Amino acid sequence: MNTKRWEKIEQIFQTAADLAPEAQKVHVKAACGDDRELYNEILALLKEDTQSHSLLDGLAIDAVGLPDDLVDPPPQIEKIGKYKIIREIATGGMGIIYLAEIADGSPPEKFALKLLKWWGTSESSQKRFQREQKILAQLDHPNIARLIEVGFSEDELPFIVMEYVDGEAIDSYCDRLHLSIEERLRLFRDVCDAVQYAHRKQVVHRDLKPDNILVKTDGTMKLLDFGISKMLKPSGEDSFVTLAGMRMMTPEYASPEQVRGKEITAVSDVYALGVVLYELLTGVRPIKIEGNSIIEVEQAISRLKPEKPGAALQSLLARKEIGKDEIDVICQARNIQLQELNETLAGDLDNICLSALEKEPNRRYPSVMFLSEDIRRYLAGEPILARRYD
């Protein structure tokens, strides 16, 4: 499928999706004219969109396929704009991230340069790129990687230059240094502060996970990658969201409403932070996802009830889903014995984690601020706000 055809499908689908069911076919028929194949493709998208699982990981896109003329960055790149490429840091479906520095003899400073694949010069591509710029440019916080500049390469590929963070994923950092439960909680509150700042700027992250939360050698935490975030109060061009954006999630950390394709709000980030917190405390995730199908993933996230953190490892051991050796590694990384870890997590920390991980958004902490405040209360020995989970 070429880009122009995909853009036409996307445009007709976006308009039809906002119409009442009885008006959808009328609109699609008029927009498609004699192109019966196009008509059937869009009806297939609209049908999938009515299913509770239709938006998980881009199922709507999978119904018709992605454009096949995405531009891949050249395999060997030495310079992009004024930046000299040092080496590749990471690669993914939307592009490549390089370590770079200014090539004009300026004092050496390292940057992270994100070179995106480009869907031609389509309006949707431009809006997606402009949207990312606007979101990142708003965020000025010591614990959020800052935007340096944006531009286009000689091959007309868009790039974003960010502050380079030489750090380690927060879970690996905590484990390597054998941080205690209390030390992990204090560091996690820094994460909460950065996310809450973004929420005050009307930005929700939508992909919070340890790989996007780095800790530098001096202990400073930096939050990365607001590239798939969404304005909480969109208007005008900022409200434009492509179907491709629905692919951009990490299922293990996605909220139930996100995998169902429902409205994403600040409390969706609360859920993801709950997953990160649970993992930092227990060494395991609250929900085990088995299988890769759309339905299996959605059902796991939407229906499976997480174990209380204080009982999680013991339960996994009893069910033989985890070995004694693995539990020993988890406990050693927290500088604690299993029985003491269970006792430490039981009670208030159980309730804090489970309040963040509620399936229904209106039952979670109403904001990241409340989650962080309950952790502060726990550390100070004060009564927490979270409900009890018996």
Side-chain angles (χ1 to χ4, degrees):
M1 182 182 297
N2 62 37
T3 298
K4 288 185 178 179
R5 186 169 181 82
W6 171 250
E7 290 169 5
K8 189 172 184 179
I9 289 174
E10 187 177 44
Q11 181 182 11
I12 297 171
F13 171 83
Q14 294 282 5
T15 302
D18 291 332
L19 300 176
E22 61 272 14
Q24 288 181 341
K25 281 191 176 182
V26 175
H27 171 77
V28 174
K29 186 173 180 60
C32 295
D34 296 329
D35 192 337
R36 189 69 183 178
E37 183 180 358
L38 179 64
Y39 174 79
N40 288 334
E41 287 172 339
I42 295 171
L43 288 187
L45 281 176
L46 292 169
K47 182 179 178 181
E48 292 287 353
D49 192 43
T50 63
Q51 304 299 317
S52 63
H53 63 273
S54 64
L55 301 185
L56 176 60
D57 202 25
L59 179 60
I61 285 181
D62 294 337
V64 295
L66 283 167
D68 56 14
D69 56 351
L70 287 173
V71 178
D72 283 309
Q76 298 294 329
I77 297 180
E78 297 182 357
K79 191 171 180 289
I80 299 174
K82 65 182 181 182
Y83 295 92
K84 175 184 175 182
I85 301 302
I86 300 173
R87 60 178 172 86
E88 182 180 314
I89 298 175
T91 185
M94 294 302 292
I96 301 176
I97 302 177
Y98 299 98
L99 180 65
E101 63 184 11
I102 296 177
D104 62 2
S106 301
E109 182 179 358
K110 299 294 188 294
F111 302 95
L113 188 150
K114 181 178 181 181
L115 184 64
L116 303 178
K117 295 181 179 182
W118 190 238
W119 294 19
T121 56
S122 70
E123 182 180 5
S124 62
S125 299
Q126 293 172 1
K127 285 183 176 179
R128 185 167 58 251
F129 186 50
Q130 291 165 359
R131 173 172 157 268
E132 185 164 1
Q133 294 178 46
K134 291 177 181 178
I135 292 171
L136 292 171
Q138 293 181 56
L139 305 177
D140 182 14
H141 187 279
N143 295 118
I144 297 178
R146 72 185 189 280
L147 171 69
I148 306 300
E149 69 170 284
V150 298
F152 290 85
S153 71
E154 292 182 359
D155 298 315
E156 297 187 352
L157 294 170
F159 66 84
I160 299 172
V161 182
M162 302 288 297
E163 170 189 1
Y164 172 62
V165 180
D166 186 8
E168 185 177 3
I170 188 170
D171 54 346
S172 298
Y173 174 86
C174 290
D175 287 354
R176 182 175 58 82
L177 294 183
H178 302 281
L179 296 192
S180 67
I181 294 301
E182 180 176 324
E183 290 169 325
R184 290 165 187 254
L185 291 171
R186 295 189 186 282
L187 181 59
F188 182 78
R189 289 198 69 220
D190 290 341
V191 181
C192 291
D193 183 64
V195 176
Q196 181 63 23
Y197 166 83
H199 288 176
R200 288 198 300 270
K201 293 290 185 178
Q202 306 300 317
V203 177
V204 60
H205 192 286
R206 297 211 306 178
D207 195 27
L208 290 165
K209 56 185 177 182
D211 285 348
N212 279 337
I213 306 168
L214 301 188
V215 186
K216 298 165 66 174
T217 54
D218 65 0
T220 302
M221 185 281 301
K222 287 282 187 177
L223 190 56
L224 309 181
D225 199 358
F226 279 88
I228 68 165
S229 58
K230 176 185 178 183
M231 301 302 291
L232 292 177
K233 295 182 179 178
S235 61
E237 290 190 359
D238 288 334
S239 65
F240 185 91
V241 180
T242 68
L243 286 172
M246 298 167 190
R247 302 179 73 88
M248 301 179 192
M249 70 175 76
T250 305
E252 291 82 358
Y253 299 89
S255 64
E257 64 270 21
Q258 190 171 5
V259 299
R260 294 179 191 141
K262 304 299 183 181
E263 182 184 8
I264 306 301
T265 68
V267 293
S268 303
D269 278 352
V270 170
Y271 181 93
L273 287 173
V275 180
V276 174
L277 176 60
Y278 193 107
E279 195 170 2
L280 289 178
L281 297 179
T282 68
V284 296
R285 294 184 188 132
I287 301 296
K288 184 177 181 181
I289 298 177
E290 297 180 307
N292 296 316
S293 76
I294 300 293
I295 294 176
E296 286 175 319
V297 174
E298 183 199 334
Q299 287 182 344
I301 294 172
S302 300
R303 300 180 185 180
L304 293 183
K305 184 177 179 181
E307 294 269 9
K308 293 180 179 181
L313 294 179
Q314 202 70 52
S315 296
L316 289 170
L317 182 62
R319 295 196 300 268
K320 298 183 179 179
E321 294 180 23
I322 192 171
K324 181 66 166 58
D325 290 345
E326 190 174 350
I327 286 183
D328 288 342
V329 170
I330 290 171
C331 291
Q332 288 169 11
R334 288 151 184 77
N335 199 25
I336 197 170
Q337 296 297 314
L338 177 59
Q339 183 61 36
E340 186 182 356
L341 177 61
N342 292 342
E343 292 172 357
T344 300
L345 300 183
D348 283 352
L349 291 178
D350 280 342
N351 297 332
I352 289 172
C353 286
L354 295 182
S355 288
L357 292 170
E358 281 280 7
K359 304 297 184 184
E360 296 301 323
N362 61 4
R363 292 176 61 85
R364 289 177 212 143
Y365 285 108
S367 75
V368 176
M369 180 182 68
F370 282 89
L371 169 59
S372 181
E373 169 62 12
D374 251 3
I375 294 173
R376 185 202 68 77
R377 286 170 174 258
Y378 170 82
L379 292 170
E382 300 173 6
I384 65 170
L385 303 173
R387 56 172 292 209
R388 291 175 56 89
Y389 291 81
D390 297 321

